[in-house]
Amino acid sequence: ITVILLVSRRNIVRPLRQLTASARQLRAGSYTPVPVRSRDEFGQLATAFNEMADTIQQRDKRLQELVAALEQRVVEAQAARERAETADKVKSAFLASMSHELRTPLNSVINFTKFVIKGMMGPVTERQTESLNKVVDSAKHLLNLINDVLDKPLRRRKCGREQYSAGSGLYR
């Protein structure tokens, strides 16, 4: 009986303990291959376990590579978003500045010309009135063009409908 116990301990219990220890190491993220000492069922089990552990390690490595690539893409996307937000702020400041710099003097020209037409600066002939009315009409037309150019992007931004076509570099 003692001999049977020693043989079974050596041939059954020891390989099972080694397999259990390797399984625990694998679960903890570390792995040492199980020695394959025979071709019997325990040797086949050890071989299958080693193959499974190799597959798990390969998948873990691939997963780590994918996570690193994803983290890099997130960093790149955040940087692109920050650049886009900065560009949007610059664009808004530019449009506000252009709105003021173009509209204010043009409105002054329109109003001053209307004062002249009304005779507030002295008498005006019919021919001068016609010419001054053309100036007012042209200035109003120019003001409408400026309003269309400057207000369209602002309206889109406020409505949240501005779309950027990356291929063309144009806003729609």
Side-chain angles (χ1 to χ4, degrees), residues 72-110:
Q72 179 63 33
R73 286 185 179 175
V74 167
V75 167
E76 291 169 359
Q78 287 172 337
R81 190 176 112 231
E82 289 172 5
R83 286 191 305 270
E85 287 173 353
T86 299
D88 187 54
K89 288 177 185 175
V90 169
K91 176 185 167 187
S92 294
F94 172 78
L95 290 173
S97 175
M98 285 298 99
S99 174
H100 175 73
E101 295 297 326
L102 294 174
R103 289 177 181 152
T104 301
L106 196 51
N107 279 319
S108 295
V109 168
I110 291 169

Side-chain angles (χ1 to χ4, degrees), residues 4-69:
I4 294 174
L5 287 175
L6 288 174
V7 169
S8 65
R9 181 180 175 129
R10 181 174 171 251
N11 293 334
I12 297 172
V13 175
R14 187 182 302 157
L16 286 177
R17 284 186 180 161
Q18 287 175 336
L19 190 60
T20 302
S22 290
R24 287 186 179 133
Q25 285 179 343
L26 185 62
R27 183 180 64 200
S30 165
Y31 172 66
T32 305
V34 177
V36 179
R37 295 199 169 110
S38 65
R39 293 183 177 206
D40 61 4
E41 288 81 7
F42 287 110
Q44 292 172 7
L45 181 61
T47 300
F49 182 85
N50 289 338
E51 290 169 354
M52 177 191 69
D54 289 341
T55 301
I56 290 171
Q57 285 182 321
Q58 290 170 4
R59 286 182 184 167
D60 282 352
K61 182 179 178 185
R62 178 67 181 139
L63 183 60
Q64 288 172 354
E65 291 169 355
L66 291 171
V67 166

Side-chain angles (χ1 to χ4, degrees), residues 64-165:
Q64 288 172 354
E65 291 169 355
L66 291 171
V67 166
L70 181 60
E71 288 172 347
Q72 179 63 33
R73 286 185 179 175
V74 167
V75 167
E76 291 169 359
Q78 287 172 337
R81 190 176 112 231
E82 289 172 5
R83 286 191 305 270
E85 287 173 353
T86 299
D88 187 54
K89 288 177 185 175
V90 169
K91 176 185 167 187
S92 294
F94 172 78
L95 290 173
S97 175
M98 285 298 99
S99 174
H100 175 73
E101 295 297 326
L102 294 174
R103 289 177 181 152
T104 301
L106 196 51
N107 279 319
S108 295
V109 168
I110 291 169
N111 290 326
F112 183 74
T113 306
K114 286 180 180 180
F115 291 148
V116 173
I117 292 171
K118 290 181 181 179
M120 298 177 130
M121 305 300 287
V124 181
T125 66
E126 190 175 317
R127 186 171 172 209
Q128 290 172 326
T129 301
E130 287 175 16
S131 294
L132 290 171
N133 280 327
K134 287 180 183 179
V135 170
V136 170
D137 290 342
S138 294
K140 284 182 179 180
H141 178 69
L142 182 57
L143 185 59
N144 285 332
L145 290 174
I146 290 169
N147 288 339
D148 287 346
V149 169
L150 294 180
D151 289 345
K152 195 172 188 179
L154 292 175
R155 279 194 308 271
R156 283 184 179 165
R157 285 187 69 235
K158 287 179 184 174
C159 293
R161 287 192 234 149
E162 187 168 75
Q163 296 176 351
Y164 182 72
S165 173

